[in-house]
Amino acid sequence: MPNIARMYFITAICFLIAGILVGLKMSIAHDYAAVGAHAHINLLGWVTMALFGAFHALNPRGAATRLAKIQYYVYTLGVLVMTPALYFLLTGNPSLEPIVAVSSLVVFAGVLMFAAIIFRTRAG
Ligand code: HEM
């Protein structure tokens, strides 16, 4: 498996553990204020990163490029900043809104870079 695919799966499983912990905390406390953060940790972190990793595993040639490496760091940094900032924003810290906004754009930039990786991949 290409290194970048392995890195994506390792990062993804860490986000799934964090997302489930937030879900369990909400369930135990009967306080669902952080549901938006829980959903984004699981979907941007676990699901999307696992899909990125699976794509790289299926396309080892594209996975070895500099773009793939830069994309991993841009996207991961975005999700790593955005999800805890969103958690604290939703649980009563409105001052974090600009950080959520900027990191969301970083996440989006990472997604556009992944779109470029997909479009550059040749059949076969
Ligand atoms: C043991 C694991 C999990 C626990 C304990 C858990 C717990 C919760 C809780 C308590 C809510 C709030 C429900 C409500 O507002 O009524 C919720 C919502 C949600 N969860 Fe999870 N969750 C888990 C795993 C996951 C996973 C793996 C995903 C995605 C891959 C996910 C995605 C979502 C989404 C999208 C919502 C929002 C649903 C809505 O607002 O309609 N959850 N979860």
Side-chain angles (χ1 to χ4, degrees), residues 31-123:
D31 177 355
Y32 306 106
V35 65
H38 164 76
H40 284 83
I41 294 167
N42 281 322
L43 295 173
L44 290 177
W46 165 240
V47 178
T48 305
M49 286 193 182
L51 288 172
F52 286 169
F55 185 88
H56 282 313
L58 290 169
N59 299 279
R61 215 156 9 128
T65 62
R66 220 159 76 96
L67 176 61
K69 201 181 244 180
I70 295 170
Q71 191 277 336
Y72 168 83
Y73 286 111
V74 169
Y75 183 79
T76 302
L77 176 74
V79 179
L80 208 55
V81 174
M82 181 195 152
T83 48
L86 182 60
Y87 177 89
F88 290 113
L89 172 70
L90 295 175
T91 52
N93 298 276
S95 62
L96 288 171
E97 196 174 335
I99 294 178
V100 174
V102 171
S103 54
S104 303
L105 294 176
V106 176
V107 171
F108 187 45
V111 168
L112 293 179
M113 290 168 81
F114 204 85
I117 292 170
I118 292 177
F119 290 133
R120 276 169 33 156
T121 304
R122 286 170 201 279

